[in-house]
Short mmCIF file of all heavy atoms in Angstrom, two decimals:
data_model
loop_
_atom_site.label_atom_id
_atom_site.label_comp_id
_atom_site.label_asym_id
_atom_site.label_seq_id
_atom_site.Cartn_x
_atom_site.Cartn_y
_atom_site.Cartn_z
N ALA G 69 -43.34 -43.93 -16.03
CA ALA G 69 -42.40 -42.77 -15.88
C ALA G 69 -41.94 -42.18 -17.22
O ALA G 69 -41.97 -42.86 -18.28
CB ALA G 69 -41.22 -43.19 -15.04
N LEU G 70 -41.53 -40.92 -17.16
CA LEU G 70 -40.91 -40.25 -18.25
C LEU G 70 -39.60 -39.66 -17.77
O LEU G 70 -39.58 -38.94 -16.77
CB LEU G 70 -41.71 -39.15 -18.81
CG LEU G 70 -42.88 -39.46 -19.77
CD1 LEU G 70 -43.59 -38.27 -20.19
CD2 LEU G 70 -42.40 -40.25 -20.98
N VAL G 71 -38.47 -40.04 -18.39
CA VAL G 71 -37.18 -39.53 -17.95
C VAL G 71 -36.58 -38.68 -19.13
O VAL G 71 -36.31 -39.27 -20.19
CB VAL G 71 -36.27 -40.67 -17.57
CG1 VAL G 71 -34.85 -40.10 -17.17
CG2 VAL G 71 -36.83 -41.54 -16.47
N GLY G 72 -36.38 -37.41 -18.86
CA GLY G 72 -35.87 -36.56 -19.95
C GLY G 72 -34.54 -35.99 -19.57
O GLY G 72 -34.00 -36.17 -18.51
N ALA G 73 -33.94 -35.27 -20.58
CA ALA G 73 -32.67 -34.64 -20.39
C ALA G 73 -32.91 -33.10 -20.42
O ALA G 73 -33.69 -32.59 -21.19
CB ALA G 73 -31.69 -35.02 -21.49
N GLY G 74 -32.21 -32.35 -19.51
CA GLY G 74 -32.33 -30.95 -19.43
C GLY G 74 -31.00 -30.32 -19.84
O GLY G 74 -30.00 -30.85 -19.88
N THR G 75 -31.13 -28.88 -20.10
CA THR G 75 -30.01 -28.12 -20.55
C THR G 75 -29.47 -28.73 -21.78
O THR G 75 -28.27 -28.94 -22.00
CB THR G 75 -28.91 -28.05 -19.40
OG1 THR G 75 -29.47 -27.84 -18.15
CG2 THR G 75 -28.03 -26.81 -19.76
N VAL G 76 -30.39 -29.03 -22.74
CA VAL G 76 -30.14 -29.56 -24.05
C VAL G 76 -29.91 -28.41 -25.02
O VAL G 76 -30.89 -27.68 -25.32
CB VAL G 76 -31.15 -30.52 -24.49
CG1 VAL G 76 -30.83 -31.04 -25.93
CG2 VAL G 76 -31.38 -31.66 -23.48
N LEU G 77 -28.68 -28.18 -25.44
CA LEU G 77 -28.36 -26.91 -26.17
C LEU G 77 -28.20 -27.06 -27.61
O LEU G 77 -28.43 -26.06 -28.35
CB LEU G 77 -27.00 -26.36 -25.56
CG LEU G 77 -26.98 -25.97 -24.10
CD1 LEU G 77 -25.63 -25.51 -23.69
CD2 LEU G 77 -28.06 -25.03 -23.72
N ASP G 78 -27.82 -28.20 -28.12
CA ASP G 78 -27.56 -28.36 -29.51
C ASP G 78 -27.88 -29.80 -30.02
O ASP G 78 -28.33 -30.62 -29.21
CB ASP G 78 -26.13 -28.02 -29.86
CG ASP G 78 -25.10 -28.77 -29.06
OD1 ASP G 78 -25.43 -29.86 -28.64
OD2 ASP G 78 -23.99 -28.22 -28.77
N GLU G 79 -27.67 -30.03 -31.32
CA GLU G 79 -27.98 -31.37 -31.89
C GLU G 79 -27.22 -32.48 -31.22
O GLU G 79 -27.67 -33.55 -30.95
CB GLU G 79 -27.70 -31.35 -33.39
CG GLU G 79 -28.62 -30.40 -34.20
CD GLU G 79 -28.42 -30.43 -35.64
OE1 GLU G 79 -27.59 -31.36 -36.07
OE2 GLU G 79 -28.94 -29.57 -36.36
N ALA G 80 -25.94 -32.16 -30.86
CA ALA G 80 -25.13 -33.17 -30.23
C ALA G 80 -25.63 -33.56 -28.81
O ALA G 80 -25.66 -34.75 -28.52
CB ALA G 80 -23.62 -32.68 -30.09
N ASP G 81 -26.17 -32.57 -28.09
CA ASP G 81 -26.76 -32.88 -26.80
C ASP G 81 -27.99 -33.78 -26.96
O ASP G 81 -28.26 -34.66 -26.18
CB ASP G 81 -27.20 -31.63 -26.15
CG ASP G 81 -26.03 -30.85 -25.49
OD1 ASP G 81 -24.91 -31.50 -25.37
OD2 ASP G 81 -26.13 -29.68 -25.09
N VAL G 82 -28.77 -33.47 -28.02
CA VAL G 82 -30.00 -34.33 -28.23
C VAL G 82 -29.56 -35.77 -28.50
O VAL G 82 -30.09 -36.75 -27.94
CB VAL G 82 -30.80 -33.80 -29.45
CG1 VAL G 82 -31.91 -34.83 -29.78
CG2 VAL G 82 -31.39 -32.41 -29.17
N GLU G 83 -28.50 -35.95 -29.29
CA GLU G 83 -28.09 -37.27 -29.72
C GLU G 83 -27.54 -38.08 -28.47
O GLU G 83 -27.81 -39.28 -28.29
CB GLU G 83 -27.04 -37.17 -30.80
CG GLU G 83 -27.56 -36.73 -32.15
CD GLU G 83 -28.53 -37.76 -32.76
OE1 GLU G 83 -28.53 -38.96 -32.39
OE2 GLU G 83 -29.36 -37.25 -33.62
N ARG G 84 -26.64 -37.46 -27.69
CA ARG G 84 -26.15 -38.11 -26.56
C ARG G 84 -27.19 -38.38 -25.48
O ARG G 84 -27.14 -39.44 -24.80
CB ARG G 84 -24.92 -37.41 -25.93
CG ARG G 84 -25.17 -36.12 -25.30
CD ARG G 84 -23.78 -35.39 -24.98
NE ARG G 84 -23.92 -34.16 -24.23
CZ ARG G 84 -23.73 -34.13 -22.88
NH1 ARG G 84 -23.42 -35.14 -22.21
NH2 ARG G 84 -23.84 -32.92 -22.30
N ALA G 85 -28.15 -37.57 -25.35
CA ALA G 85 -29.16 -37.78 -24.38
C ALA G 85 -30.09 -38.96 -24.84
O ALA G 85 -30.37 -39.82 -24.02
CB ALA G 85 -30.12 -36.55 -24.24
N VAL G 86 -30.47 -39.05 -26.09
CA VAL G 86 -31.22 -40.15 -26.60
C VAL G 86 -30.49 -41.42 -26.51
O VAL G 86 -31.03 -42.51 -26.12
CB VAL G 86 -31.65 -39.89 -28.10
CG1 VAL G 86 -32.30 -41.15 -28.75
CG2 VAL G 86 -32.61 -38.71 -28.16
N SER G 87 -29.24 -41.46 -26.83
CA SER G 87 -28.37 -42.64 -26.72
C SER G 87 -28.31 -43.21 -25.30
O SER G 87 -28.20 -44.38 -25.12
CB SER G 87 -26.97 -42.32 -27.17
OG SER G 87 -26.95 -41.94 -28.51
N ALA G 88 -28.44 -42.26 -24.33
CA ALA G 88 -28.43 -42.72 -22.89
C ALA G 88 -29.80 -43.21 -22.43
O ALA G 88 -29.89 -43.84 -21.45
CB ALA G 88 -28.02 -41.55 -22.01
N GLY G 89 -30.85 -42.92 -23.28
CA GLY G 89 -32.21 -43.40 -22.91
C GLY G 89 -33.14 -42.39 -22.59
O GLY G 89 -34.36 -42.62 -22.23
N ALA G 90 -32.73 -41.07 -22.72
CA ALA G 90 -33.72 -39.92 -22.37
C ALA G 90 -34.88 -40.00 -23.35
O ALA G 90 -34.78 -40.20 -24.56
CB ALA G 90 -33.04 -38.62 -22.49
N GLN G 91 -36.10 -39.76 -22.87
CA GLN G 91 -37.33 -39.85 -23.61
C GLN G 91 -37.81 -38.58 -24.16
O GLN G 91 -38.60 -38.52 -25.10
CB GLN G 91 -38.43 -40.55 -22.78
CG GLN G 91 -38.07 -41.89 -22.33
CD GLN G 91 -39.08 -42.43 -21.32
OE1 GLN G 91 -38.99 -42.19 -20.08
NE2 GLN G 91 -40.10 -43.14 -21.78
N PHE G 92 -37.37 -37.44 -23.55
CA PHE G 92 -37.77 -36.08 -24.00
C PHE G 92 -36.70 -35.12 -23.67
O PHE G 92 -35.76 -35.45 -22.91
CB PHE G 92 -39.08 -35.64 -23.42
CG PHE G 92 -39.14 -35.42 -21.95
CD1 PHE G 92 -38.89 -34.10 -21.48
CD2 PHE G 92 -39.33 -36.42 -21.07
CE1 PHE G 92 -38.93 -33.87 -20.11
CE2 PHE G 92 -39.30 -36.16 -19.68
CZ PHE G 92 -39.16 -34.90 -19.23
N MET G 93 -36.69 -33.92 -24.27
CA MET G 93 -35.73 -32.93 -24.08
C MET G 93 -36.28 -31.66 -23.43
O MET G 93 -37.42 -31.29 -23.73
CB MET G 93 -35.09 -32.52 -25.42
CG MET G 93 -34.56 -33.73 -26.23
SD MET G 93 -33.10 -34.53 -25.48
CE MET G 93 -33.69 -36.25 -25.69
N VAL G 94 -35.42 -30.96 -22.66
CA VAL G 94 -35.77 -29.66 -22.13
C VAL G 94 -34.64 -28.72 -22.35
O VAL G 94 -33.52 -29.08 -22.20
CB VAL G 94 -36.01 -29.79 -20.60
CG1 VAL G 94 -36.51 -28.41 -20.09
CG2 VAL G 94 -37.03 -30.83 -20.22
N THR G 95 -34.94 -27.53 -22.93
CA THR G 95 -33.94 -26.62 -23.26
C THR G 95 -34.11 -25.33 -22.42
O THR G 95 -35.19 -25.01 -22.03
CB THR G 95 -34.02 -26.14 -24.77
OG1 THR G 95 -35.18 -25.35 -24.98
CG2 THR G 95 -34.16 -27.45 -25.67
N PRO G 96 -33.01 -24.69 -22.16
CA PRO G 96 -33.07 -23.38 -21.40
C PRO G 96 -33.48 -22.25 -22.28
O PRO G 96 -34.00 -21.21 -21.70
CB PRO G 96 -31.64 -23.13 -20.87
CG PRO G 96 -30.78 -23.86 -21.88
CD PRO G 96 -31.58 -25.01 -22.35
N THR G 97 -33.33 -22.32 -23.55
CA THR G 97 -33.67 -21.23 -24.43
C THR G 97 -34.21 -21.86 -25.77
O THR G 97 -34.36 -23.09 -25.91
CB THR G 97 -32.39 -20.39 -24.87
OG1 THR G 97 -31.53 -21.28 -25.55
CG2 THR G 97 -31.71 -19.85 -23.67
N LEU G 98 -34.50 -20.97 -26.75
CA LEU G 98 -34.98 -21.48 -28.07
C LEU G 98 -33.76 -21.78 -28.92
O LEU G 98 -33.55 -21.22 -29.99
CB LEU G 98 -35.86 -20.42 -28.71
CG LEU G 98 -37.09 -20.10 -27.98
CD1 LEU G 98 -37.87 -18.96 -28.72
CD2 LEU G 98 -37.99 -21.38 -27.81
N SER G 99 -33.00 -22.72 -28.45
CA SER G 99 -31.71 -23.12 -29.08
C SER G 99 -31.99 -24.03 -30.27
O SER G 99 -33.12 -24.48 -30.56
CB SER G 99 -30.80 -23.77 -28.12
OG SER G 99 -31.40 -24.88 -27.50
N ALA G 100 -30.87 -24.32 -31.01
CA ALA G 100 -31.03 -25.16 -32.21
C ALA G 100 -31.53 -26.56 -31.84
O ALA G 100 -32.13 -27.24 -32.70
CB ALA G 100 -29.66 -25.32 -32.86
N SER G 101 -31.37 -26.97 -30.58
CA SER G 101 -31.86 -28.29 -30.14
C SER G 101 -33.29 -28.46 -30.24
O SER G 101 -33.88 -29.52 -30.44
CB SER G 101 -31.38 -28.53 -28.69
OG SER G 101 -31.71 -27.51 -27.85
N VAL G 102 -34.12 -27.33 -30.10
CA VAL G 102 -35.53 -27.37 -30.19
C VAL G 102 -35.98 -27.88 -31.55
O VAL G 102 -36.74 -28.83 -31.70
CB VAL G 102 -36.22 -26.01 -29.89
CG1 VAL G 102 -37.73 -26.10 -29.99
CG2 VAL G 102 -35.83 -25.59 -28.47
N ARG G 103 -35.63 -27.16 -32.58
CA ARG G 103 -35.94 -27.50 -33.96
C ARG G 103 -35.43 -28.94 -34.28
O ARG G 103 -36.19 -29.72 -34.94
CB ARG G 103 -35.37 -26.49 -34.96
CG ARG G 103 -35.85 -26.74 -36.39
CD ARG G 103 -35.12 -25.78 -37.37
NE ARG G 103 -35.37 -24.34 -37.04
CZ ARG G 103 -36.49 -23.73 -37.50
NH1 ARG G 103 -37.39 -24.35 -38.30
NH2 ARG G 103 -36.57 -22.40 -37.17
N TYR G 104 -34.28 -29.24 -33.81
CA TYR G 104 -33.76 -30.55 -34.14
C TYR G 104 -34.51 -31.69 -33.44
O TYR G 104 -34.87 -32.78 -34.12
CB TYR G 104 -32.29 -30.71 -33.77
CG TYR G 104 -31.62 -31.98 -34.11
CD1 TYR G 104 -31.40 -32.37 -35.44
CD2 TYR G 104 -31.30 -32.94 -33.13
CE1 TYR G 104 -30.86 -33.60 -35.75
CE2 TYR G 104 -30.75 -34.16 -33.44
CZ TYR G 104 -30.52 -34.51 -34.75
OH TYR G 104 -30.00 -35.76 -35.07
N ALA G 105 -34.83 -31.53 -32.22
CA ALA G 105 -35.62 -32.57 -31.48
C ALA G 105 -37.01 -32.77 -32.20
O ALA G 105 -37.48 -33.89 -32.40
CB ALA G 105 -35.79 -32.17 -30.02
N VAL G 106 -37.61 -31.66 -32.51
CA VAL G 106 -38.93 -31.75 -33.22
C VAL G 106 -38.82 -32.46 -34.50
O VAL G 106 -39.69 -33.32 -34.87
CB VAL G 106 -39.53 -30.31 -33.42
CG1 VAL G 106 -40.78 -30.40 -34.27
CG2 VAL G 106 -39.88 -29.67 -32.07
N SER G 107 -37.67 -32.12 -35.28
CA SER G 107 -37.55 -32.83 -36.56
C SER G 107 -37.32 -34.33 -36.42
O SER G 107 -37.62 -35.14 -37.33
CB SER G 107 -36.32 -32.15 -37.36
OG SER G 107 -35.10 -32.60 -36.73
N GLN G 108 -36.82 -34.79 -35.26
CA GLN G 108 -36.63 -36.16 -35.01
C GLN G 108 -37.79 -36.84 -34.32
O GLN G 108 -37.67 -38.06 -33.99
CB GLN G 108 -35.32 -36.32 -34.14
CG GLN G 108 -34.10 -35.77 -34.78
CD GLN G 108 -33.76 -36.48 -36.08
OE1 GLN G 108 -33.62 -37.68 -36.16
NE2 GLN G 108 -33.62 -35.68 -37.18
N GLY G 109 -38.91 -36.13 -34.16
CA GLY G 109 -40.07 -36.70 -33.46
C GLY G 109 -39.96 -36.89 -32.02
O GLY G 109 -40.57 -37.69 -31.43
N ILE G 110 -39.07 -36.09 -31.37
CA ILE G 110 -38.77 -36.20 -29.92
C ILE G 110 -39.49 -35.01 -29.25
O ILE G 110 -39.33 -33.83 -29.59
CB ILE G 110 -37.28 -36.12 -29.62
CG1 ILE G 110 -36.59 -37.28 -30.39
CG2 ILE G 110 -37.06 -36.23 -28.17
CD1 ILE G 110 -35.06 -37.11 -30.37
N GLY G 111 -40.20 -35.33 -28.20
CA GLY G 111 -40.90 -34.29 -27.41
C GLY G 111 -39.94 -33.32 -26.76
O GLY G 111 -38.92 -33.77 -26.24
N VAL G 112 -40.28 -32.03 -26.80
CA VAL G 112 -39.36 -31.12 -26.25
C VAL G 112 -40.07 -29.96 -25.50
O VAL G 112 -41.24 -29.57 -25.95
CB VAL G 112 -38.46 -30.49 -27.33
CG1 VAL G 112 -39.30 -29.78 -28.47
CG2 VAL G 112 -37.44 -29.42 -26.80
N LEU G 113 -39.55 -29.58 -24.37
CA LEU G 113 -40.04 -28.38 -23.60
C LEU G 113 -39.03 -27.32 -23.80
O LEU G 113 -37.87 -27.41 -23.36
CB LEU G 113 -40.20 -28.74 -22.14
CG LEU G 113 -41.08 -29.99 -21.82
CD1 LEU G 113 -41.08 -30.19 -20.31
CD2 LEU G 113 -42.50 -29.85 -22.32
N ALA G 114 -39.40 -26.26 -24.48
CA ALA G 114 -38.47 -25.16 -24.84
C ALA G 114 -38.49 -24.00 -23.85
O ALA G 114 -39.55 -23.58 -23.43
CB ALA G 114 -38.75 -24.69 -26.27
N GLY G 115 -37.30 -23.60 -23.48
CA GLY G 115 -37.14 -22.52 -22.55
C GLY G 115 -37.54 -21.13 -23.10
O GLY G 115 -37.07 -20.76 -24.14
N VAL G 116 -38.39 -20.38 -22.41
CA VAL G 116 -38.80 -19.01 -22.88
C VAL G 116 -38.87 -18.04 -21.70
O VAL G 116 -38.84 -18.52 -20.50
CB VAL G 116 -40.14 -19.13 -23.62
CG1 VAL G 116 -40.12 -20.06 -24.75
CG2 VAL G 116 -41.24 -19.56 -22.56
#
Side-chain angles (χ1 to χ4, degrees):
L70 283 178
V71 180
T75 320
V76 179
L77 301 178
D78 53 29
E79 296 182 9
D81 283 345
V82 174
E83 291 294 340
R84 68 188 183 100
V86 170
S87 295
Q91 297 171 276
F92 67 96
M93 306 294 135
V94 185
T95 73
T97 64
L98 298 176
S99 56
S101 52
V102 176
R103 186 185 298 274
Y104 181 68
V106 172
S107 74
Q108 299 301 303
I110 302 168
V112 59
L113 307 178
V116 300

